[in-house]
Amino acid sequence: MPKNNPPLPSKSELRALAAGPLSFDAIKAQYDDETAIQVGILRDPDTHELTAEEAAWLQPARRRGKQKAPVKVRVSVRLDADLVAQLRATGAGWQTRLNGLLRQAVFDKKAG
């Protein structure tokens, strides 16, 4: 038989619970799991409700379609840990720079 979940308290009631002294377990016992979780979220200093400006800034993730003419090939290569660490230390885009270094080493060698 499905469990009847009581409706969540209003936002103002949740805020009052979050400001109060009750523990997670006490709130869970008096209300339900979801209410206790919502109060925990309100008490977490690292979370906040989005402002209208922040919400407007968000965009859905774009899906990249299949390349029409693939120019790159996915490969798996095992490299020395210190080499990878040094490349990663150069910041974002290190894979692209690695591609450039390999291209330069391979094609300059052939030309020379």
Side-chain angles (χ1 to χ4, degrees):
M1 187 144 91
K3 182 179 174 183
N4 289 339
N5 290 329
L8 272 177
S10 68
K11 287 229 183 224
S12 60
E13 290 171 321
L14 286 172
R15 285 189 189 104
L17 284 169
L22 293 178
S23 69
F24 178 88
D25 291 330
I27 294 169
K28 183 177 170 182
Q30 188 174 348
Y31 295 91
D32 64 348
D33 290 351
E34 187 60 29
T35 300
I37 290 168
Q38 292 301 319
V39 169
I41 291 169
L42 288 172
R43 287 179 175 171
D44 186 346
D46 294 329
T47 62
H48 69 280
E49 288 192 38
L50 294 178
T51 64
E53 183 179 294
E54 290 170 328
W57 181 80
L58 295 175
Q59 298 177 15
R62 293 185 189 168
R63 293 189 124 195
R64 292 175 57 179
K66 211 169 189 180
Q67 291 180 342
K68 292 179 183 174
V71 293
K72 294 193 176 186
V73 177
R74 181 180 298 268
V75 296
S76 177
V77 178
R78 296 184 68 81
L79 302 171
D80 294 333
D82 59 340
L83 174 63
V84 174
Q86 188 67 32
L87 287 165
R88 283 186 173 159
T90 63
W94 66 270
Q95 296 98 329
T96 303
R97 286 190 292 281
L98 174 60
N99 187 72
L101 290 168
L102 287 169
R103 174 175 285 281
Q104 185 179 15
V106 170
F107 290 112
D108 283 356
K109 199 169 201 172
K110 283 184 179 179

